[in-house]
Amino acid sequence: MKILIIGGSGTIGKKVSAHFARNHDVLVAGRVSGDVRVDIAEPQTIEAMFESVGGVDAAVCIAGDAKWDAFEQMSEADFYVGLKSKLMGQVNLVRIGHHYLNDGGSFTLTTGILADDPVMLTTSAAMVNGAIHSFVRAAALELKRGMRINAVSSGLVEDAVQRYGAYFPGHNPIPMEKVVNGYVRSVEGKGTGRVIRIYDNG
Ligand SMILES: NC(=O)c1ccc[n+]([C@@H]2O[C@H](COP(=O)([O-])OP(=O)(O)OC[C@H]3O[C@@H](n4cnc5c(N)ncnc54)[C@H](OP(=O)(O)O)[C@@H]3O)[C@@H](O)[C@H]2O)c1
């Protein structure tokens, strides 16, 4: 399969890219990293990315930002960071990208545990994750040519504990192999309209 991974150089992305590269043709995209340039918050760069890459069998997005801050500090503009990047960036990837996906191809978007189990400072990040879950379920009903779409929603990943662990008191980090498997289920499985949750609430 020809697999395009936006954010494929990031903390999660590099593990996912390395796994798929064993058996597939992987192209990594990012604003400054990878094989192809794209900023998902800028739709014209999504179009340009697909024009340069051509047809793909799977488009995986492991990128997108949202502003983290106390609710009382959040301005309307702060909320628009997440709406423009993580939410509409991924929606636009599908809106534009479905014209370029090969028959039977798949989209895999990335959300996170905040949709179901938010922590302090995440009114925006939790909100956009939940919106993406609803988008994925609805878009699956309308995608044609056998195309599929899923979201991978994981808990705090092991490789990010140093950076974000303090924000997730009592959360059990998710081993990277389990996170990678979420993406494998979406890309190599046959399911669609699914939110693939990888949480450890035990
Ligand atoms: N870390 C966790 O524990 C965790 C858990 C669940 C969900 N998530 C979600 O998973 C996603 C990736 O997290 P991460 O920790 O792997 O992040 P990361 O280490 O910051 O990596 C993000 C990657 O995405 C690219 N990127 C960022 N913004 C982009 C944009 N606007 N357009 C195109 N590429 C962009 C970056 O490359 P360039 O700098 O070259 O653009 C980088 O390769 C995020 O949406 C995050 O919320 C993370």
Side-chain angles (χ1 to χ4, degrees):
M1 268 192 271
K2 182 172 164 189
I3 304 178
L4 174 64
I5 305 182
I6 297 104
S9 315
T11 309
I12 298 174
K14 66 184 172 210
K15 296 287 168 74
V16 173
S17 305
H19 178 89
F20 282 125
R22 291 191 214 147
N23 296 308
H24 301 283
D25 178 10
V26 168
L27 279 166
V28 169
R31 291 164 304 181
V32 294
S33 59
D35 311 301
V36 195
R37 294 285 78 81
V38 69
D39 180 346
I40 58 167
E42 302 296 337
Q44 71 282 3
T45 72
I46 298 176
E47 185 95 47
M49 170 185 68
F50 279 112
E51 278 296 318
S52 79
V53 163
V56 298
D57 300 301
V60 177
C61 186
I62 318 177
D65 297 325
K67 169 105 178 173
W68 283 48
D69 207 343
F71 177 58
E72 290 205 340
Q73 302 302 321
M74 290 283 290
S75 65
E76 184 176 356
D78 289 335
F79 275 98
Y80 276 109
V81 173
L83 293 177
K84 193 166 161 53
S85 177
K86 193 163 185 179
L87 176 56
M88 284 313 298
Q90 298 199 88
V91 169
N92 280 330
L93 184 77
V94 179
R95 189 180 62 78
I96 296 165
H98 77 90
H99 297 294
Y100 296 88
L101 218 62
N102 294 335
D103 290 359
S106 68
F107 290 101
T108 304
L109 308 185
T110 295
T111 57
I113 192 171
L114 298 173
D116 299 307
D117 192 1
V119 297
M120 296 291 284
L121 315 182
T122 61
T123 49
S124 175
M127 175 183 73
V128 298
N129 283 347
I132 295 161
H133 289 177
S134 299
F135 169 73
V136 160
R137 289 192 196 96
L141 303 176
E142 298 195 35
L143 284 174
K144 299 189 170 64
R145 297 190 288 109
M147 287 184 282
R148 301 181 298 106
I149 180 168
N150 299 295
V152 174
S153 181
S154 88
L156 175 68
V157 305
E158 266 183 358
D159 287 3
V161 169
Q162 289 271 80
R163 242 162 92 199
Y164 301 117
Y167 296 101
F168 290 85
H171 280 235
N172 297 315
I174 310 299
M176 299 313 290
E177 319 85 76
K178 289 196 176 179
V179 180
V180 169
N181 269 339
Y183 292 88
V184 173
R185 273 170 65 191
S186 177
V187 171
E188 296 183 357
K190 288 291 165 218
T192 191
R194 303 216 177 137
V195 176
I196 299 168
R197 290 181 168 81
I198 308 165
Y199 305 158
D200 177 359
N201 295 322

